[in-house]
Amino acid sequence: MQEEIDPIFEELKNIIATKNIRTVFQPIISMKTGEVLGYEALSRGPEGSPLESPIELFAAAEKYRMLFTLERICREKALINSREIKNGHKIFININPYVVYDPEFKGGVTRSLIEELKLSQKNIVIELTERASINDYRGFRQALDHYKEQGYNIAIDDTGAGYSGLQTIVSISYDYIKIDRSLIQNIDKDPVKQALLEVFIKFARKIDSKVIAEGIETIGELDTLIDLGVDYGQGFIIAKPSDDFIKDLPIVNFIAQKNRRKTQHIPGPFIGEIAQRGIAVTPETQTAAVAQMFEKCDSLHSVVVLEGNKPLGLVMRDKLYSRLGTQYGYAVFMGRAVKLVMDDNPMIVDFYTPIEEVSQRAMEREISNIYDCIIVEKDGEYFGIVSIRNLLEKFARLQIEHAKNLNPLTNLPGNPIIEREITERIEKGEFFSVLYIDLDNFKPYNDCYGYKKGDEVLTFTSDVLKKVVDEWGSEEDFIGHIGGDDFVVVTSPQKDELISQNIIKKFDEQISRFYTEEDRKNGYITARDRQGNLSKKPFVSVSIAIVTNEYRHIENHLQVSEIAAELKEYAKSQKGSTFVKDRRRN
């Protein structure tokens, strides 16, 4: 009787024998800047094959006990196809956790291949799937330490969906924690998922890891992940897997605009204004010549490597000395080109990038690069360099200046920042609404209870505004304190009435606690009017005037103030807390 042939088994054997595996790459980008961190290498079977899908391919390999062999081929193909990766981008390679025990992976063929392809181990991320349970955490940690010592980064995949859950992260230190798609899907509509992701993010900060959100497919998901503070993102909304290293990503503009709104409230100059020209050399300059520059000038800490007038790399004094100080470093590198020892992925920013944005990005770099200088370009060419010391000193001065413009009682931005906020929205052509919030009957309360209690009411009011905007507003909304009992909230026309309603609701629900029990029973206080006569005064309430450019053209912040003054007068004539929205047209 003829033995029946299994076509899937035969197909798998043929794929392995011919190493017929395709590698596609999906970019992973910063959720702060949109810059590409690296690419995940994903394996596919031959086109048109029943094993083209990675799910079918690896399921078959596991069924026929050929998983390690298949993974080795996929790994080798991924490395070979990564030869064209540029600018120090990282390559994420998926690996079954138990492969780390494989002697061939540990010190044989894979390492030789990396050396042959002239890939840097610091740019290779071993991505371990969490879908396979790990029993011996101690042995597994020792195995991973071996790879970390060689310079590899380690990532854990499928976090939130696998067998070992939090124990895997707690037991082993990872450079990157990749959050599974099951947690990311519809996260913009699911407060429970948001709360869980916040826990992962806070934990990652504690252990010096970065969080990568996988499988992002909608703008809503992306928007929420940026707001939550996720470090990096990956998914179809960014780019689908491709045979090429995709670099031009349209979504980058959305990310940049989103994060620019977050940092715009801190005043300050552009990074180019504090840049210095610095010392520059060509890629072919001998390392010995650069070392001599450092020796002759104690204050020189960095040298820029330029190709024409385009920044190519950076040499930091301490890193160069450290490399030359290794056993064979001096003999190998001193007589060779500096391009072999330079950092080929330095931080490069445009002249007109705000200093506070650069500070944030600089501090988010890996620990080994956090003190490296920052290269500044203008019009696409090298302009100068900024040291971390100068950057932080300037940023500290900006924060001091910013603090001077904050209300000392509520710590909210004062008039200069409020005016700039409104002006920027006008200049950008955005639709916006300004809520002018005024407390009614606040002076009688102050006269009756004293300024200390009055300050407590003002602090309470600012807390109400923050809570309401946090719950009902958006990340782009702005809260300011004009002074005394006058506040502002800048939001979108779609949310202005909702926010106003909830401000009034929360304020009216809690204001009575600032009165004595007797006054609460009476429902009023007795205070003297301007003529010195005793009269009954109602409890403090809220009047809100909503000024918007949704219906009329507004040219400047002074016009906003004029319209608000008219509306407030009408609102304050009404009994109790109320809001009025200007719907008049030009």
Side-chain angles (χ1 to χ4, degrees):
M1 185 175 178
Q2 189 173 2
E3 186 176 338
E4 187 175 346
I5 297 175
D6 183 341
I8 297 298
F9 179 56
E10 293 300 318
E11 177 69 7
L12 179 63
K13 283 199 304 181
N14 182 60
I15 289 172
I16 289 176
T18 60
K19 296 186 177 181
N20 193 2
I21 294 293
R22 293 185 302 122
T23 306
V24 292
F25 299 92
Q26 188 173 33
I28 300 169
I29 67 172
S30 167
M31 301 289 263
K32 307 290 191 305
T33 66
E35 294 176 353
V36 175
L37 168 71
Y39 301 84
E40 180 177 359
L42 302 165
S43 298
R44 304 285 187 266
E47 288 189 58
S49 164
L51 298 181
E52 180 179 359
S53 162
I55 296 175
E56 301 296 333
L57 178 64
F58 285 96
E62 189 169 6
K63 177 181 177 181
Y64 295 111
R65 298 183 179 180
M66 302 173 76
L67 185 60
F68 272 26
T69 304
L70 176 65
E71 283 208 348
R72 186 177 301 125
I73 294 169
C74 292
R75 187 165 63 247
E76 291 172 6
K77 282 290 189 116
L79 291 171
I80 291 169
N81 292 324
S82 300
R83 285 175 297 184
E84 302 304 317
I85 199 166
K86 300 292 185 183
N87 300 322
H89 290 147
K90 296 185 182 297
I91 185 75
F92 286 69
I93 299 179
N94 289 285
I95 291 175
N96 185 296
Y98 289 105
V99 173
V100 300
Y101 297 117
D102 184 354
E104 186 172 319
F105 178 71
K106 196 167 185 177
V109 175
T110 301
R111 185 171 180 178
S112 300
L113 182 60
I114 290 171
E115 292 174 355
E116 180 185 334
L117 296 171
K118 297 181 180 178
L119 297 174
S120 172
Q121 286 162 314
K122 72 175 183 178
N123 290 330
I124 296 175
V125 183
I126 298 173
E127 185 171 322
L128 303 164
T129 177
E130 197 201 352
R131 295 187 186 278
S133 58
I134 300 168
N135 299 318
D136 178 16
Y137 283 103
R138 183 176 179 182
F140 190 68
R141 183 169 59 248
Q142 289 175 347
L144 287 185
D145 286 344
H146 168 78
Y147 298 109
K148 282 197 164 191
E149 289 169 2
Q150 294 183 42
Y152 295 100
N153 287 159
I154 309 293
I156 181 170
D157 194 13
D158 304 318
T159 303
Y163 294 106
S164 42
L166 288 174
Q167 186 182 353
T168 310
I169 307 175
V170 171
S171 304
I172 299 162
S173 175
Y174 295 95
D175 299 288
Y176 301 96
I177 298 173
K178 299 191 76 176
I179 306 298
D180 187 74
R181 167 67 182 152
S182 61
L183 182 56
I184 302 305
Q185 187 174 27
N186 295 323
I187 193 168
D188 51 319
K189 304 168 186 173
D190 193 332
V192 175
K193 286 184 176 182
Q194 293 175 25
L196 182 56
L197 184 54
E198 283 180 335
V199 172
F200 278 119
I201 293 170
K202 288 178 182 177
F203 178 76
R205 300 285 186 271
K206 295 279 187 183
I207 63 172
D208 196 28
S209 294
K210 300 294 184 182
V211 172
I212 301 174
E214 295 186 289
I216 311 170
E217 294 187 355
T218 69
I219 284 290
E221 291 169 357
L222 180 66
D223 193 56
T224 299
L225 293 168
I226 293 172
D227 286 342
L228 290 172
V230 169
D231 300 297
Y232 299 99
Q234 175 182 2
F236 284 4
I237 192 68
I238 297 167
K240 294 182 179 180
S242 168
D243 294 332
D244 301 318
F245 295 110
I246 302 172
K247 296 171 185 174
D248 297 325
L249 303 170
I251 202 68
V252 168
N253 291 331
F254 172 83
I255 294 172
Q257 289 174 9
K258 171 86 175 173
N259 285 293
R260 193 173 295 118
R261 293 293 304 157
K262 285 184 173 184
T263 58
Q264 68 176 6
H265 303 315
I266 302 176
F270 301 122
I271 187 67
E273 296 176 36
I274 61 170
Q276 298 176 338
R277 186 63 186 176
I279 302 295
V281 297
T282 66
E284 302 304 325
T285 302
Q286 283 200 349
T287 302
V290 176
Q292 193 173 28
M293 293 178 187
F294 287 129
E295 289 173 11
K296 288 183 176 180
C297 182
D298 291 338
S299 62
L300 181 65
H301 294 284
S302 63
V303 170
V304 180
V305 181
L306 298 179
E307 193 164 52
N309 204 28
K310 190 76 178 173
L312 190 67
L314 179 70
V315 182
M316 296 297 297
R317 172 196 286 263
D318 56 342
K319 288 185 177 180
L320 176 62
Y321 285 171
S322 176
R323 195 155 190 180
L324 294 177
T326 58
Q327 186 175 2
Y328 301 108
Y330 191 91
V332 170
F333 295 113
M334 281 296 276
R336 304 180 71 183
V338 74
K339 65 182 179 182
L340 299 175
V341 296
M342 72 180 184
D343 176 3
D344 59 3
N345 189 31
M347 182 174 174
I348 303 175
V349 298
D350 184 73
F351 182 101
Y352 295 105
T353 308
I355 283 177
E356 65 273 11
E357 182 180 325
V358 177
S359 299
Q360 182 183 14
R361 288 169 56 183
M363 292 303 102
E364 288 170 353
R365 293 183 292 182
E366 294 183 9
I367 295 297
S368 59
N369 301 116
I370 206 162
Y371 295 110
D372 290 359
C373 291
I374 296 152
I375 297 174
V376 179
E377 285 185 328
K378 189 174 184 181
D379 299 325
E381 296 187 341
Y382 173 68
F383 178 82
I385 197 164
V386 177
S387 71
I388 289 298
R389 178 178 177 177
N390 288 345
L391 173 66
L392 295 181
E393 283 180 351
K394 183 64 177 180
F395 185 56
R397 289 198 295 271
L398 290 178
Q399 288 184 309
I400 291 171
E401 289 300 315
H402 180 66
K404 290 178 181 177
N405 291 319
L406 298 180
N407 186 281
L409 177 63
T410 60
N411 209 36
L412 290 173
N415 277 321
I417 304 177
I418 294 170
E419 290 174 4
R420 187 176 67 251
E421 174 70 24
I422 296 171
T423 300
E424 284 184 1
R425 300 209 183 199
I426 292 171
E427 290 177 349
K428 290 178 181 178
E430 295 181 8
F431 285 112
F432 63 88
S433 292
V434 181
L435 281 56
Y436 277 82
I437 298 115
D438 189 11
L439 300 187
D440 305 320
N441 303 304
F442 181 68
K443 185 179 184 305
Y445 179 89
N446 243 348
D447 293 341
C448 182
Y449 280 87
Y451 288 105
K452 185 176 181 181
K453 293 294 291 184
D455 286 348
E456 289 180 11
V457 171
L458 294 177
T459 303
F460 157 72
T461 304
S462 72
D463 290 341
V464 167
L465 299 182
K466 292 172 187 175
K467 288 175 183 176
V468 170
V469 169
D470 184 57
E471 185 173 357
W472 301 100
S474 63
E475 184 71 28
E476 291 78 14
D477 290 349
F478 171 88
I479 306 171
H481 188 172
I482 297 172
D485 59 346
D486 293 314
F487 297 82
V488 297
V489 171
V490 184
T491 185
S492 65
Q494 292 76 26
K495 294 189 175 183
D496 54 16
E497 293 191 45
L498 180 65
I499 290 174
S500 297
Q501 290 166 356
N502 282 281
I503 289 171
I504 290 172
K505 182 174 180 290
K506 283 188 179 293
F507 188 93
D508 286 352
E509 284 175 349
Q510 300 180 51
I511 188 60
S512 62
R513 64 187 173 90
F514 293 94
Y515 291 84
T516 63
E517 186 175 351
E518 181 181 353
D519 287 342
R520 283 199 295 271
K521 287 179 181 178
N522 292 333
Y524 61 84
I525 62 173
T526 303
R528 295 189 181 277
D529 58 23
R530 296 183 184 276
Q531 288 74 39
N533 301 316
L534 287 173
S535 60
K536 295 177 181 178
K537 297 292 182 181
F539 284 2
V540 177
S541 57
V542 182
S543 289
I544 303 176
I546 305 175
V547 180
T548 180
N549 64 349
E550 184 180 14
Y551 305 107
R552 65 158 76 192
H553 177 68
I554 293 178
E555 296 182 348
N556 53 59
H557 70 88
L558 294 176
Q559 189 179 353
V560 174
S561 299
E562 291 169 2
I563 298 170
E566 296 176 34
L567 294 176
K568 278 202 299 181
E569 186 175 349
Y570 174 76
K572 292 177 80 67
S573 69
Q574 306 300 304
K575 193 173 182 180
S577 295
T578 187
F579 71 87
V580 179
K581 183 172 181 177
D582 182 33
R583 301 180 190 276
R584 294 171 292 179
R585 300 179 184 273
N586 290 103

